[in-house]
Amino acid sequence: MYTVADIVATSDAVMGTLARPATGEADVMSVNNVKCVLDVHGYALYFSRALIPHNKKGVYDPNTKYMRKLGIYSYRSDFLPKFISMPESNLQTSEDLEQNKVIEAGYRIKVGIVHEAVHGVDTPEQLDDLNRMLAAGEIKMTNAS
């Protein structure tokens, strides 16, 4: 089994996180859903609350591969003191996403791709979305025991 900790342990990245393919327009249009763009090796190029990648028409394109970041991280232990002492950056402040200061400072974040995941629930709309997915059988609850 592959974990978010494995992402950092098996790469030269200082941070690791997970993402999944977006499930449709509603999944990527909300500012509460963080999207990411990756290079061909799975390293993050940018994280945004906006629709990214963004085409020149400025509209959702069902043929574009959008990625939704999941709210979990792993860090190299020697990077944590640097991370907490790093000043806020322009990209971090403008997007309200702390991981952007890492990229802006020249460090790498490796992103593992998962295909089944439940996103975080931070808003009433996200709770409604989770309940809709459960009711439709799109995700199933299981016992961890």
Side-chain angles (χ1 to χ4, degrees), residues 88-141:
E88 285 188 357
S89 74
N90 179 53
L91 296 176
Q92 173 190 3
T93 303
S94 64
E95 292 276 4
D96 192 22
L97 296 170
E98 70 280 355
Q99 62 271 31
N100 279 337
K101 77 177 178 180
V102 175
I103 296 169
E104 195 171 3
Y107 294 99
R108 298 178 90 186
I109 300 174
K110 182 77 171 182
V111 181
I113 305 302
V114 296
H115 293 280
E116 277 192 32
V118 177
H119 56 75
V121 177
D122 300 313
T123 67
E125 294 80 15
Q126 289 172 336
L127 180 59
D128 291 343
D129 186 42
L130 177 62
N131 286 329
R132 180 197 56 75
M133 291 169 69
L134 283 166
E138 295 173 29
I139 57 174
K140 298 186 181 2
M141 294 187 57

Side-chain angles (χ1 to χ4, degrees), residues 5-45:
D6 294 334
I7 295 168
V8 170
T10 60
S11 75
D12 62 348
V14 297
M15 282 178 65
T17 191
L18 299 174
R20 64 164 174 77
T23 59
E25 185 172 5
D27 200 29
V28 295
M29 295 306 291
S30 171
V31 297
N32 294 311
N33 299 342
V34 176
K35 283 68 71 177
C36 57
V37 176
L38 312 176
D39 71 13
V40 297
H41 303 289
Y43 290 92
L45 296 171

Side-chain angles (χ1 to χ4, degrees), residues 64-81:
T64 298
K65 184 180 177 182
Y66 299 103
M67 298 301 294
R68 266 286 299 281
K69 187 189 81 60
L70 303 177
I72 187 168
Y73 293 105
S74 59
Y75 300 86
R76 287 197 181 279
S77 60
D78 61 338
F79 177 69
L80 276 174

